[in-house]
Amino acid sequence: MAERGRGWARAVRGLLLDVSGVLYDSGAGGGVAIAGSVEAVRRIKASGLKLQLCTNETQATRESFVRKLRALGFDISVAQVTAPAPAACHLLRERGLRPHLLVHHDLLPEFAEIDKTNPNCVVLGDAAENFTYANLNEAFRLLIGMEKPVLISLGKGRYYKETDGLKLDVGAYMKALEYACDIQAEVVGKPAKRFFESALAELGVPPEQAIMIGDDIVNDVGGAQRCGMRALQVRTGKYRPSDENHPEVKPDAYVNNLAEAVDIILQEL
Amino acid sequence: MAERGRGWARAVRGLLLDVSGVLYDSGAGGGVAIAGSVEAVRRIKASGLKLQLCTNETQATRESFVRKLRALGFDISVAQVTAPAPAACHLLRERGLRPHLLVHHDLLPEFAEIDKTNPNCVVLGDAAENFTYANLNEAFRLLIGMEKPVLISLGKGRYYKETDGLKLDVGAYMKALEYACDIQAEVVGKPAKRFFESALAELGVPPEQAIMIGDDIVNDVGGAQRCGMRALQVRTGKYRPSDENHPEVKPDAYVNNLAEAVDIILQEL
């Protein structure tokens, strides 16, 4: 049940939505929409509120990600998706870095224009089945052989939920490589401040007029709050009851799901 | 070149030797003996010094490990090997723990007598090719589903060297699971003090009369020194020149290889 003192729902002009665990549960065959979410997105758009998806999804290009969401019934365009791979490409170009990619096959087209010869960094995404023993050893050997190893991680999530259960996320593999090489990765994606700022710029709304809605207490809620946004945690996706006792992060409110969040926000408009 | 002030070599009655990177480089087909090491082990035995192998090897039972070493020419018996799996079995029995095993296939016989039904902990070894995406997700799901997750790690090495290159060691995968579950693993094996104490008990020599010889600055040298032993780092195996600037651990001496260490120690007897 959401808190009924709803100061947090006032003066809102735009919403940033996490996707997996908020709009849908990912999994084989494209996953399944979370009950009420398709209609909730439709109501957000009809209300005149601005809407941007802010995802750490790195298992597909934005184009195919949006195709999947549209197939589930969500009326979303590619421009409405802020995702780590394009942000990483921007950073690689800025710093003249040539990546070795340990990412999902379906993400590779996002890096098509990037010079990958003679790598001087490793980019790690949620590689899923590509997280093999051989591929992890290869990324490790490249890093340990660099004079100053540069590891760029597309997110640092601990785990996520698919229709067939919880899966280790990119953050776990990032920690493995950090430990093996005695280095710190640079994180592109939530909860990096720069990433939320890009999403807000694309949303076209200042942080104090935006609400982030996510299922990840640290990466969605904590990250957004550090940028000056209000943030809600939904009780869907990877939400666990113990999140409500998190020692550091306290959402502005809990909601049972996206539909309930939208109900409350629209009532306050 | 070893330091020539050899106070460290005096009053020695027993040697603890790390195995991989000191006696041999592991790899396909059983690996290869490091030049001079077979003869060095023979000279240690002939000198009357006591000898115990203190290894974090978890890719095989002690029996098959010793068979491999004997095939390479080392005159070693099973009783001369202190290894993590038997130490873990002791701990599991002591605490009534029933493990889910994420370990190398060839290590499984060490756990033959242990009750593994309805697991209430995960034991992680250097599983090598068994470190698949599916197996890591399975271990993760078991842990995250426990009220108080217990992860027992057979060592916490960062990486090791095989004949075809460096490989991520169990410590990297331990860190991945620790991060995903927000827990701390219990380490059985080097550098745990209790493990070195077992090895010393089997050696039958007090720490101040023992020398540890290893290629791992943290797990061999640092761990042994914390138990009151002197410790040498060999410049074979996973040794890297940057180890000589380690911020915390300083070996009692560097030696080019085991043969050189034995030369110096026997001269001082």
Side-chain angles (χ1 to χ4, degrees):
Chain A
M1 184 105 100
E3 280 95 289
R4 292 291 144 188
R6 293 156 179 177
W8 58 265
R10 298 211 178 97
V12 178
R13 288 184 47 229
L15 301 181
L16 287 186
L17 305 186
D18 178 37
V19 183
S20 177
V22 176
L23 298 193
Y24 81 121
D25 282 320
S26 58
V32 293
I34 291 172
S37 290
V38 169
E39 177 62 17
V41 167
R42 200 176 354 247
R43 293 171 67 207
I44 294 166
K45 300 189 86 163
S47 72
L49 285 173
K50 292 188 176 185
L51 173 68
Q52 184 77 15
L53 305 187
C54 183
T55 178
N56 274 6
E57 168 66 43
T58 59
Q59 287 204 2
T61 60
R62 279 165 304 169
E63 285 73 14
S64 70
F65 186 54
V66 164
R67 267 199 303 278
K68 183 168 76 173
L69 292 175
R70 294 184 69 88
L72 291 171
F74 295 101
D75 179 18
I76 291 293
S77 68
V78 171
Q80 284 177 305
V81 178
T82 303
C89 288
H90 185 77
L91 180 152
L92 293 167
R93 284 200 187 91
E94 226 176 45
R95 288 168 46 188
L97 291 170
R98 300 178 307 275
H100 168 80
L101 300 172
L102 178 45
V103 302
H104 198 282
H105 270 308
D106 296 341
L107 191 69
L108 291 173
E110 293 274 18
F111 295 90
E113 305 298 317
I114 299 283
D115 180 8
K116 294 175 282 289
T117 56
N118 188 19
N120 57 6
C121 75
V122 168
V123 169
L124 191 69
D126 175 18
E129 304 289 345
N130 274 348
F131 280 132
T132 63
Y133 181 62
N135 286 349
L136 284 162
N137 281 333
E138 184 186 12
F140 162 67
R141 278 181 211 145
L142 279 163
L143 283 169
I144 201 85
M146 292 173 192
E147 201 181 333
K148 284 196 73 168
V150 175
L151 173 60
I152 294 169
S153 187
L154 305 181
K156 60 171 194 176
R158 295 170 188 270
Y159 57 88
Y160 56 89
K161 190 182 171 187
E162 294 205 324
T163 45
D164 60 345
L166 297 175
K167 305 270 169 89
L168 288 171
D169 199 358
V170 60
Y173 294 94
M174 175 190 87
K175 287 290 171 184
L177 291 173
E178 282 188 341
Y179 177 73
C181 302
D182 197 15
I183 57 171
Q184 285 270 311
E186 302 175 38
V187 176
V188 174
K190 297 178 286 187
K193 195 168 182 201
R194 185 172 163 177
F195 187 72
F196 277 111
E197 288 168 349
S198 301
L200 284 168
E202 288 167 23
L203 184 67
V205 162
E208 62 276 11
Q209 299 182 345
I211 295 179
M212 172 78 203
I213 302 177
D215 65 337
D216 186 316
I217 182 76
V218 170
N219 291 302
D220 293 329
V221 175
Q225 288 178 331
R226 270 200 308 282
C227 288
M229 275 175 268
R230 283 159 285 171
L232 311 186
Q233 189 177 10
V234 289
R235 295 195 181 99
T236 53
K238 80 176 82 168
Y239 163 85
R240 301 171 77 215
S242 62
D243 291 345
E244 304 202 14
N245 304 315
H246 195 280
E248 283 153 34
V249 183
K250 178 137 190 64
D252 291 275
Y254 296 97
V255 287
N256 286 323
N257 49 44
L258 179 64
E260 187 185 33
V262 171
D263 279 347
I264 298 172
I265 291 165
L266 296 188
Q267 280 168 31
E268 294 289 332
L269 274 187
Chain B
M1 185 107 96
E3 280 95 287
R4 292 292 144 187
R6 293 155 180 176
W8 59 265
R10 298 210 178 96
V12 178
R13 287 182 48 227
L15 301 181
L16 288 185
L17 305 187
D18 178 36
V19 183
S20 178
V22 176
L23 298 193
Y24 80 121
D25 283 320
S26 58
V32 292
I34 291 171
S37 290
V38 169
E39 178 62 18
V41 167
R42 200 175 353 248
R43 292 171 67 204
I44 294 166
K45 300 190 86 163
S47 73
L49 285 172
K50 292 187 174 185
L51 174 68
Q52 184 77 15
L53 305 187
C54 182
T55 179
N56 273 6
E57 169 66 43
T58 60
Q59 289 204 0
T61 60
R62 279 165 304 169
E63 286 72 13
S64 70
F65 185 53
V66 164
R67 266 199 304 279
K68 183 167 76 172
L69 292 176
R70 294 183 70 87
L72 291 171
F74 294 101
D75 179 19
I76 293 294
S77 68
V78 171
Q80 285 178 303
V81 178
T82 303
C89 288
H90 186 76
L91 180 152
L92 293 167
R93 285 201 187 91
E94 225 175 45
R95 288 168 46 189
L97 292 169
R98 300 178 307 277
H100 168 81
L101 301 173
L102 178 46
V103 302
H104 198 283
H105 271 307
D106 296 342
L107 191 69
L108 291 173
E110 292 274 19
F111 296 90
E113 305 299 316
I114 298 285
D115 179 7
K116 294 175 282 286
T117 56
N118 188 20
N120 57 5
C121 74
V122 168
V123 170
L124 189 70
D126 175 18
E129 303 290 345
N130 275 347
F131 280 134
T132 63
Y133 180 61
N135 286 349
L136 284 162
N137 281 333
E138 184 187 13
F140 161 66
R141 278 181 211 144
L142 279 163
L143 284 169
I144 201 85
M146 291 173 193
E147 201 181 333
K148 282 194 74 168
V150 174
L151 173 61
I152 294 169
S153 187
L154 306 181
K156 61 171 195 175
R158 295 169 188 271
Y159 57 87
Y160 55 88
K161 189 182 170 187
E162 292 205 324
T163 45
D164 60 345
L166 297 175
K167 305 270 170 86
L168 288 171
D169 199 358
V170 61
Y173 294 95
M174 175 191 88
K175 287 289 170 182
L177 291 172
E178 283 188 340
Y179 176 73
C181 302
D182 198 14
I183 58 171
Q184 285 269 312
E186 302 175 38
V187 176
V188 174
K190 297 177 288 186
K193 195 169 182 199
R194 185 172 165 177
F195 187 72
F196 277 110
E197 287 167 352
S198 302
L200 283 168
E202 289 168 23
L203 185 66
V205 162
E208 62 276 12
Q209 299 182 344
I211 295 179
M212 172 77 202
I213 303 176
D215 65 336
D216 187 315
I217 182 76
V218 170
N219 291 302
D220 294 329
V221 175
Q225 288 178 332
R226 271 199 307 281
C227 287
M229 275 176 267
R230 285 160 283 170
L232 311 186
Q233 189 178 11
V234 289
R235 295 195 180 98
T236 53
K238 79 175 84 168
Y239 164 87
R240 300 172 77 217
S242 62
D243 291 344
E244 304 202 14
N245 305 315
H246 194 280
E248 282 154 35
V249 183
K250 178 135 191 66
D252 292 275
Y254 296 97
V255 287
N256 286 323
N257 48 47
L258 178 63
E260 188 185 32
V262 172
D263 279 346
I264 298 171
I265 290 165
L266 296 189
Q267 279 168 31
E268 294 290 331
L269 276 187

